[in-house]
Amino acid sequence: MSTEPIKSIKDLPLDENLFPGTPACAGCGGLLTLRHCLKMLGDKVVIVNAAGCFTLLSIYPFTPFKSSWLYTAMACAPAGAQGVRDALDILIEKGKLNPGDDLKVLVLTGDGAAYDMGLSSTSGAIYRNLDFYYICYDNEAYGNTGFQQSGATPFASRTKTTPIGKDFPKKDLFEIWNSHKPPYLATISPAYPVDLANKFKKAEQYKGPKLFISLTPCPPGWSTDPSHTFKLAKLAVDTGIWALKESVSGEVKHTFVPGKFKPVEEYLKEQGRFSHLFKPERKEETLGKIQEMVNEYWKQYGVLL
Amino acid sequence: MKKEMLTGNTAAAWGVRLAEIDYIPAFPITPQTEIIETLSGWISEGAMDARFVTMDSEHSMVAAAGAASATGVRVFTATSSQGLMYGFEMLYTVAGWRVPLVMINVSRGLSSPITLGPDHNDILAARDSGFLQIHCENCQEVLDSVLMAYRLAEDERVLLPVFVNLDGFYLSFTREPVEIPDMDEVRRFLPSYKPEHAFFNANRPMAQGVAVLGGAYYSYFKYQMHLASQKALDVYKEICRDFEKEFGRKYDAIEEYRLEDAEYVLIMTNSFSTMGKAAVNRARDQGIKAGLLRLRLLRPFPEEDIRNAIREKKSVGVIDQNISVGKGGILYSEVAGCLYNEKQRPFLISFIGGLGGKDISPQEFEFIFGQLIKGAGAEKVESPHLLYTQEEWEEMQKLKEIAGKE
Ligand code: SF4
């Protein structure tokens, strides 16, 4: 791969390493993210999957991947990645595997595993400086079990276990990971594929953990139309709710700052999970608080909305 | 071949060293720790060409071990007690991957109350996971069993992970003279690992551990594991014959001690069997036709061997060093289950003792033989007998007084 940054969507690789026909829901933002990521990672990959929606991508005897896949369990995909990476290194060292046949190791998880149950094994893998990629598709709840709150569920979002809206904010996984000072860490969005692609290109230079969190719309959970996935993912970035950034060895930099931020309301009002903020009457206070949280976030980086 | 005084733990480590392991993901827990300390020491000295990594928990440790095994290297790991429980979820997963991982469990009682002494509720909880289980009585057997375990796990008729079990403290820290075989002898018995089934390679994409939709597919895979485990019994016996040929030591799925003309038989496992054998000798001195059957292979369960060994005995006492709370001894149920359809079968009595390493005294063994003699042919028998002495009871009352509870 050339090191020149990709400038436009027309320059994205045409290869497809994730094939259609999976049982994921129509309009799944996570699947769209994964498709873009795998274009960049290529087909010499072992995907170590934590329990979540994507556990069901491979159903015997079918697989949508060009590459290999291993299902571990919810709490320990990074540990599975450790075993695979170490074994590949051992095989190469002992001359039993041609270095040209080496594989990239990729952990794939939803937010349930990443933010909650799998946090300890992820922390362990980052701290051991494991050479691996990690993608979290963050739909902000436990999607596979029908949308219950997770550590990623944002303030005021309705889920099956927060029926009147969650009353405290989302865990800041980016900062938790960043405190480990991994060589490369980024947030991505399926609506900004060029930004996504360049982050993978950049990450490739680093040995060690390369981590990506993608905010991914989930039509059944968010109660949105499957055709609105792209629009919503974009609105999340354009309202400033989802900041596109990266961190190299702990130093954070935004890769995209909207010229003019849209009000968060534009993003919220599109989604069933926030409909209680608008009907039967507008919850001004809550809406104001969400906007305030976004303002506060950007203020620390000197960006005033 | 050389002979050295080794603890059970270092004997285990020697087995691993001789098996030319590639990879050891580890997590410390008493009384297993000495195994991984010894191995990491050898690796840093260059005496072993393996990679050692300390994981963040046993759950991660079993995941890494299984995943490395699925990638195509020879892997070892070890744990005890709560550690085994913490990694428990992954046992089923790894067995389902059909990878030849060998794992040692150094048995220790389970919380609560917390203790360091051994019993077998930890390892027996894993009996339905798909891992095969070899249980050891002495330090030599620990070393030998590790070598046999890799042969068994890697056999293409089996392809299931294997546990080697030894008792914490009673064996982990007991020093005994152990024969350490030479590398070339070991290589003849256990050649280096060449995976032909499960491994990842860029040229051969594979999906491992995939989901199934529907009970019929799920059952198919589970049945395959069951059939492979049953098949493992024959394979294991072949391995025992090869082992004897190479090293001169004879093992089987069960061990029969003074059993041939015995009328009253103890069934035991692990290191406490040594005490059982001494009790058999004492009983023989008193003219009681006593014998002992030690279960060495617990999964697959060697039912036919057990039936043949005890079918004609008068009475048999199963001494369980475990307790299925609300039911009783686990091995008692297993032995009783395999005798049910037999026309001729011995009288079977359940005893539970040695929990948390509690001693089983010579007097208690006398009590057990008394029950077996009295029980033979009786109409009704109290079962299980919980072995607890008057002295132990009084000691406990004293502690309660100190605690102000009495
Ligand atoms: S529930 Fe949501 S995240 Fe899961 S597959 Fe469906 S759309 Fe994707």
Side-chain angles (χ1 to χ4, degrees):
Chain A
M1 202 187 289
S2 88
T3 47
E4 279 292 294
I6 291 174
K7 292 209 182 60
S8 112
I9 198 154
K10 289 191 298 253
D11 305 324
L12 291 175
L14 291 175
D15 322 331
E16 295 294 349
N17 294 315
L18 174 69
F19 294 106
T22 71
C25 314
C28 174
L31 200 66
L32 187 56
T33 294
L34 181 61
R35 180 178 154 227
H36 287 303
C37 295
L38 289 180
K39 273 173 178 280
M40 299 310 295
L41 288 171
D43 59 359
K44 287 185 173 184
V45 179
V46 185
I47 299 169
V48 185
N49 213 126
C53 288
F54 290 0
T55 313
L56 294 176
L57 291 185
S58 285
I59 296 180
Y60 187 82
F62 305 108
T63 172
F65 301 112
K66 244 189 204 170
S67 51
S68 288
W69 189 88
L70 173 72
Y71 166 71
T72 52
M74 193 153 183
C76 61
Q82 179 88 40
V84 175
R85 184 63 265 160
D86 286 342
L88 290 167
D89 289 344
I90 291 165
L91 290 170
I92 291 171
E93 265 165 39
K94 296 194 173 174
K96 294 178 181 173
L97 180 73
N98 173 353
D101 284 339
D102 192 17
L103 297 157
K104 288 177 185 147
V105 182
L106 164 66
V107 165
L108 182 57
T109 82
D111 51 286
Y115 282 73
D116 297 332
M117 206 199 262
L119 193 51
S120 151
S121 72
T122 309
S123 167
I126 304 175
Y127 136 87
R128 289 187 302 267
N129 202 34
L130 179 69
D131 188 26
F132 76 131
Y133 292 83
Y134 187 118
I135 299 169
C136 165
Y137 55 100
D138 179 1
N139 66 2
E140 304 195 309
Y142 286 84
N144 197 32
T145 42
F147 215 69
Q148 299 79 24
Q149 76 146 316
S150 78
T153 302
F155 173 67
S157 167
R158 194 159 57 201
T159 69
K160 294 273 178 59
T161 48
T162 52
I164 53 165
K166 192 183 176 200
D167 58 3
F168 52 97
K170 184 179 171 109
K171 217 188 252 186
D172 193 343
L173 188 64
F174 185 89
E175 281 304 320
I176 294 170
W177 282 353
N178 200 38
S179 69
H180 293 66
K181 299 202 170 36
Y184 193 80
L185 163 62
T187 55
I188 51 176
S189 164
Y192 284 84
V194 174
D195 176 79
L196 180 157
N198 281 320
K199 284 172 173 166
F200 273 86
K201 283 190 87 155
K202 189 160 181 186
E204 204 178 33
Q205 317 162 32
Y206 300 99
K207 209 171 150 63
K210 296 168 270 280
L211 311 150
F212 301 85
I213 318 173
S214 180
L215 184 76
T216 57
C218 165
W222 292 16
S223 308
T224 52
D225 191 284
S227 67
H228 289 177
T229 290
F230 182 86
K231 178 181 158 195
L232 279 162
K234 189 160 181 337
L235 270 173
V237 175
D238 297 349
T239 55
I241 276 201
W242 190 243
L244 291 179
K245 54 188 168 180
E246 67 182 5
S247 165
V248 177
S249 303
E251 212 174 300
V252 182
K253 204 180 88 204
H254 286 87
T255 55
F256 175 79
V257 181
K260 191 172 171 340
F261 287 82
K262 294 188 169 151
V264 289
E265 206 180 308
E266 278 194 37
Y267 169 72
L268 301 174
K269 70 170 196 272
E270 297 281 332
Q271 305 172 45
R273 63 176 174 153
F274 293 113
S275 63
H276 58 290
L277 303 181
F278 302 93
K279 286 182 294 205
E281 77 270 359
R282 276 175 68 86
K283 302 250 171 42
E284 291 299 350
E285 204 187 318
T286 314
L287 288 167
K289 200 167 162 192
I290 297 173
Q291 184 66 61
E292 190 48 35
M293 281 158 70
V294 175
N295 297 355
E296 280 298 313
Y297 170 84
W298 287 99
K299 212 166 103 189
Q300 7 157 19
Y301 295 100
V303 181
L304 296 179
L305 268 64
Chain B
M1 194 269 286
K2 56 181 174 176
K3 206 163 198 167
E4 270 185 36
M5 291 295 287
L6 298 182
T7 61
N9 279 345
T10 45
W14 263 108
V16 177
R17 175 170 165 171
L18 293 169
E20 298 186 286
I21 300 304
D22 297 301
Y23 185 50
I24 305 169
F27 194 80
I29 181 171
T30 304
Q32 165 279 142
T33 320
E34 191 189 10
I35 302 178
I36 59 162
E37 283 175 356
T38 308
L39 291 167
S40 64
W42 283 334
I43 292 168
S44 51
E45 280 163 20
M48 271 179 80
D49 183 17
R51 185 181 284 217
F52 183 95
V53 50
T54 307
M55 297 300 293
D56 39 277
S57 70
E58 290 87 353
H59 193 278
S60 287
M61 175 187 92
V62 182
S69 200
T71 310
V73 296
R74 191 176 272 169
V75 188
F76 169 78
T77 193
T79 193
S80 288
S81 182
Q82 299 295 125
L84 182 64
M85 292 295 117
Y86 200 68
F88 204 81
E89 179 191 15
M90 295 314 292
L91 300 180
Y92 278 77
T93 306
V94 167
W97 292 344
R98 305 294 302 273
V99 293
L101 169 67
V102 171
M103 186 160 161
I104 284 189
N105 183 64
V106 185
S107 270
R108 169 181 146 192
L110 293 169
S111 285
S112 272
I114 191 164
T115 184
L116 298 176
D119 61 40
H120 304 133
N121 269 104
D122 57 358
I123 188 70
L124 291 179
R127 74 187 197 272
D128 306 329
S129 64
F131 272 65
L132 311 180
Q133 293 196 5
I134 300 173
H135 288 233
C136 304
E137 183 184 347
N138 57 49
C139 296
Q140 182 72 58
E141 194 178 340
V142 171
L143 187 156
D144 294 347
S145 298
V146 172
L147 302 177
M148 296 172 80
Y150 281 101
R151 268 281 297 268
L152 187 59
E154 290 167 8
D155 192 290
E156 65 170 13
R157 294 163 289 177
V158 179
L159 288 173
L160 284 169
V162 179
F163 268 120
V164 174
N165 192 66
L166 61 136
D167 282 335
F169 289 80
Y170 281 79
L171 214 51
S172 61
F173 302 127
T174 296
R175 237 168 246 279
E176 290 177 339
V178 175
E179 276 186 18
I180 304 171
D182 293 334
M183 216 42 250
D184 47 345
E185 288 177 295
V186 174
R187 283 193 187 125
R188 275 197 299 270
F189 173 76
L190 178 70
S192 65
Y193 181 47
K194 287 191 195 64
E196 296 197 358
H197 300 271
F199 60 90
F200 292 116
N201 189 302
N203 297 320
R204 210 190 65 142
M206 176 179 70
Q208 178 63 294
V210 296
V212 289
L213 288 184
Y217 307 114
Y218 180 79
S219 302
Y220 171 83
F221 286 108
K222 287 286 169 180
Y223 289 164
Q224 288 299 317
M225 285 166 74
H226 176 65
L227 296 172
S229 183
Q230 285 188 320
K231 188 81 201 157
L233 194 56
D234 296 333
V235 177
Y236 173 79
K237 289 182 178 185
E238 277 172 36
I239 293 168
C240 288
R241 285 195 286 275
D242 286 355
F243 193 88
E244 192 186 357
K245 244 186 265 159
E246 192 60 55
F247 304 102
R249 287 183 292 277
K250 189 171 162 37
Y251 296 101
D252 210 331
I254 57 169
E255 183 195 345
E256 304 187 19
Y257 184 76
R258 301 189 81 168
L259 210 56
E260 195 153 337
D261 64 337
E263 292 175 348
Y264 305 102
V265 175
L266 305 179
I267 293 188
M268 297 182 75
T269 64
N270 292 284
S271 66
F272 273 47
S273 315
T274 309
M275 297 180 203
K277 288 173 183 173
V280 165
N281 293 344
R282 285 194 301 275
R284 285 272 178 176
D285 290 345
Q286 291 162 18
I288 300 168
K289 285 195 164 173
L292 182 140
L293 169 66
R294 179 168 70 94
L295 303 178
R296 178 171 143 78
L297 199 61
L298 280 186
R299 278 294 177 276
F301 195 61
E303 293 192 302
E304 198 54 44
D305 299 81
I306 296 169
R307 281 198 283 266
N308 291 340
I310 62 174
R311 186 181 281 121
E312 291 171 10
K313 307 304 176 194
K314 281 196 176 148
S315 56
V316 172
V318 182
I319 305 182
D320 267 295
Q321 211 180 340
N322 63 74
I323 184 161
S324 171
V325 177
K327 172 68 171 78
I330 294 169
L331 297 178
Y332 171 77
S333 297
E334 300 238 322
V335 173
C338 83
L339 291 173
Y340 185 80
N341 281 329
E342 293 296 289
K343 281 211 180 63
Q344 190 186 8
R345 60 186 186 209
F347 201 74
L348 203 63
I349 308 180
S350 168
F351 299 90
I352 292 176
L355 297 184
K358 190 181 94 67
D359 204 11
I360 305 181
S361 64
Q363 291 73 21
E364 284 173 286
F365 277 109
E366 269 172 39
F367 165 79
I368 292 167
F369 279 116
Q371 291 295 312
L372 291 182
I373 294 166
K374 195 170 82 180
E379 297 226 321
K380 196 167 182 281
V381 66
E382 185 206 328
S383 197
H385 287 280
L386 305 176
L387 301 174
Y388 207 75
T389 64
Q390 185 66 30
E391 269 163 62
E392 286 162 342
W393 173 263
E394 281 159 15
E395 185 66 23
M396 194 66 212
Q397 298 315 308
K398 252 190 252 158
L399 288 181
K400 280 193 189 171
E401 266 169 45
I402 294 169
K405 295 280 183 193
E406 206 69 357

